[in-house]
Amino acid sequence: MLAGYAVQVQHSRGRRFSEPAHPYRNDYQRDRDRVIHARAFRRLVAKTQVFTRRYSDHFRNRLTHTIEVAQITRTVAGALALNVDLAETLALVHDLGHPPFGHAGEKALDAAMREHGLFFDHNLHALRIVEDFEQRYASFRGLNLTFEVREGIIKHSRDYDSAKHPDLSEYLLDQRPPLEAQLVDLTDEIGYNTADLDDGYEAHLLSLEQIRDGLPVFERFFREVEKIYPDAPDKLQFNEALKRVFNRLVGDLVTNTQARLKHAGIETLDDVRQHTGRVAAFSQEVEAERQQIKDFLYENLYYSPSLAGEKDDAERIVTELFAFWMNNPSALPHYYEEKAQKESLPRVVCDYIAGMTDHFINEQYERHCGTAR
Ligand code: MG
């Protein structure tokens, strides 16, 4: 039984091109399957999440991160009696538009575009992938996803000004997205905040002492774990403490969102859409802890000197390759060269680079710009 404020698949605004109903999958289940079968989804396996070079096969890449976010999202959506199929689809698609080399690659690509008065936005890029670049079906371009999935792709993590984005006017920019989409921004945070602590510790870039000193929420649980498992190895005590942090974040997101729904008197999807702000949220206390983990990771992991070299490499590779193709459009693959006849060259070069895996862009760099990394 879905809550009154959940999205109901039978009330979907539908697809761009109507298709006959499937005998045993609803439209959001079909959308989920289309995302999983997309080429862009498979490429996530070779895109960096945090660690640019392979420290170990055990670390997250963008695909395993995506699967973790989908798992958290299913749990939270289920607990809130939301539409789990839609929420899961939105989680699976949420990082589809990410360029190679994680955050550094995205920044460099955006900077290169800004030189031409344009910009790069991974949500908008994900929409272009599912609307245009994926070609699997004979009757239409793209994946022909339902309205709610396309809306969630752009609106899950930020709001877009309707005056600045007339191209997105069909996506009800003056309304809040459904809760299924609102959740994904927060489950994404839970996913990477806890996973990056885990991988950072495993990579010896973060020490146990550092984490205990820097994160009171972790320290509280760690002391509890030490009492229960005094003889367990550090790594297992770490795991047990991190698991408790994880559960605290997930549990709080569920109970606090429930409380906010009740407090605001939200009963229908329309109430969610018309509400002054987003309803899915952590409590004040846990929100502060979440922010603390994020700040800690920025300070001690993302901006750590050990990752700085790779960041510089990423920036240089994206910037130089972008310039190379701007100066040598005839060196683009035929498909992109043809596209450049109809669209602006910077946009076409950006699309090409954004779709690349780390592996492929390194290869391209070697070929066109010389030095191997
Ligand atoms: Mg993500």
Side-chain angles (χ1 to χ4, degrees):
M1 267 297 282
L2 294 187
Y5 42 73
V7 174
Q8 310 262 356
V9 68
Q10 65 274 22
H11 298 150
S12 169
R13 286 170 200 244
R15 307 181 185 282
R16 285 205 192 284
F17 308 94
S18 72
E19 296 180 48
H22 193 272
Y24 46 82
R25 287 179 305 161
N26 71 42
D27 278 346
Y28 299 145
Q29 291 169 337
R30 288 174 92 179
D31 282 1
R32 175 198 59 205
D33 299 350
R34 285 175 191 199
V35 168
I36 289 177
H37 289 276
R39 292 200 337 168
F41 187 77
R42 292 196 289 280
R43 291 199 301 269
L44 294 176
V45 76
K47 294 203 185 207
T48 293
Q49 180 67 17
V50 172
F51 296 94
T52 314
R53 279 191 200 123
R54 191 181 282 196
Y55 274 65
S56 143
D57 283 344
H58 296 148
F59 294 165
R60 274 83 174 175
N61 56 53
R62 225 168 253 288
L63 181 64
T64 60
H65 159 73
T66 293
I67 294 169
E68 291 181 358
V69 174
Q71 170 261 325
I72 303 166
T73 305
R74 286 181 58 94
T75 299
V76 176
L80 291 169
L82 295 170
N83 192 312
V84 174
D85 296 326
L86 174 60
E88 181 183 20
T89 306
L90 292 176
L92 288 170
V93 82
H94 90 278
D95 269 353
L96 207 67
H98 269 282
F101 298 141
H103 192 62
E106 182 172 16
K107 243 178 78 186
L109 197 52
D110 183 55
M113 286 293 273
R114 286 186 192 272
E115 303 253 310
H116 302 277
L118 300 163
F119 64 94
F120 176 78
D121 174 306
H122 66 89
N123 291 340
L124 299 182
H125 188 70
L127 187 67
R128 287 157 67 75
I129 291 174
V130 303
E131 286 266 79
D132 190 19
F133 306 160
E134 286 288 327
Q135 293 182 50
R136 299 182 53 82
Y137 305 101
S139 358
F140 43 76
R141 281 191 81 86
L143 303 181
N144 197 29
L145 302 176
T146 54
F147 173 86
E148 292 74 22
V149 173
R150 284 179 282 126
E151 180 198 18
I153 286 174
I154 45 173
K155 283 162 71 177
H156 72 275
S157 61
R158 53 166 287 200
D159 300 317
Y160 290 84
D161 183 349
S162 51
K164 280 192 196 142
H165 291 277
D167 50 318
L168 300 176
S169 61
E170 69 179 297
Y171 295 113
L172 317 171
L173 296 184
D174 52 336
Q175 295 183 16
R176 255 48 61 209
L179 283 163
E180 285 82 352
Q182 294 185 26
L183 279 188
V184 173
D185 192 38
L186 304 168
T187 51
D188 183 26
E189 287 245 357
I190 296 174
Y192 68 71
N193 279 335
T194 51
D196 293 347
L197 284 175
D198 189 28
D199 286 347
Y201 176 58
E202 186 77 21
H204 303 293
L205 294 181
L206 300 172
S207 71
L208 187 53
E209 289 64 41
Q210 212 180 350
I211 298 172
R212 292 183 62 179
D213 286 348
L215 297 175
V217 58
F218 181 89
E219 173 65 5
R220 275 201 319 274
F221 285 126
F222 195 84
R223 284 179 185 219
E224 190 185 304
V225 166
E226 274 183 320
K227 276 193 205 127
I228 312 173
Y229 307 106
D231 302 323
D234 276 4
K235 174 63 184 170
L236 294 186
Q237 290 182 334
F238 169 88
N239 287 353
E240 288 288 339
L242 188 63
K243 180 186 91 176
R244 285 162 171 79
V245 173
F246 184 97
N247 279 333
R248 178 171 166 84
L249 292 165
V250 174
D252 183 79
L253 177 57
V254 171
T255 51
N256 192 63
T257 301
Q258 270 163 346
R260 285 167 61 90
L261 284 161
K262 202 168 165 199
H263 182 75
I266 289 173
E267 284 173 4
T268 67
L269 175 58
D270 204 46
D271 293 343
V272 174
R273 286 190 171 285
Q274 303 299 337
H275 196 63
T276 44
R278 293 178 180 232
V279 193
F282 298 106
S283 66
Q284 243 176 28
E285 189 187 345
V286 171
E287 170 60 22
E289 291 167 356
R290 180 204 63 78
Q291 189 60 49
Q292 201 165 39
I293 300 175
K294 197 170 179 164
D295 294 345
F296 175 87
L297 285 167
Y298 267 95
E299 211 171 296
N300 299 289
L301 183 65
Y302 306 148
Y303 291 148
S304 81
S306 341
L307 293 183
E310 291 159 3
K311 246 189 221 133
D312 293 344
D313 284 349
E315 225 174 274
R316 181 168 42 82
I317 290 172
V318 170
T319 310
E320 286 184 24
L321 269 177
F322 193 98
F324 170 78
W325 279 307
M326 285 302 296
N327 295 326
N328 305 279
S330 62
L332 284 167
H334 185 64
Y335 170 79
Y336 287 94
E337 210 192 329
E338 269 199 340
K339 266 185 100 169
Q341 314 286 323
K342 290 174 232 138
E343 284 177 73
S344 84
L345 183 60
R347 179 59 66 195
V348 172
V349 171
C350 177
D351 285 344
Y352 185 39
I353 291 178
M356 292 180 185
T357 60
D358 292 12
H359 165 75
F360 187 75
I361 196 171
N362 278 327
E363 229 176 59
Q364 292 296 307
Y365 187 74
E366 257 176 66
R367 184 188 302 174
H368 298 300
C369 306
T371 357
R373 288 212 300 153

